Amino acid sequence: MNAFLNVLAYATIPAAVVVIGGIVGAVRTHGAAARSAVQHFAAGVVLLRWPRSSCQT
């Protein structure tokens, strides 16, 4: 039971961040420059991780 509570405690951290991010996103909108920066960052993360995941069998 103690291990389950540890997992549950660690799982609430990303869940809380998602909820907070959703609330902030619903209340505050960003301009075109911020949107472009986020999209470029996400594309960089995808391209950085892509070759490693496709080489594993």
Side-chain angles (χ1 to χ4, degrees):
M1 187 67 175
N2 191 18
F4 175 73
L5 292 177
N6 280 340
V7 170
L8 188 62
Y10 283 116
T12 57
I13 295 170
V17 170
V18 166
V19 169
I20 292 170
I23 292 170
V24 169
V27 172
R28 182 173 181 216
T29 58
H30 297 292
R35 185 180 309 119
S36 176
V38 169
Q39 289 175 346
H40 279 86
F41 175 75
V45 170
V46 168
L47 290 177
L48 177 69
R49 298 298 294 167
W50 175 63
R52 293 180 189 161
S53 63
S54 65
C55 293
Q56 297 174 354
T57 57

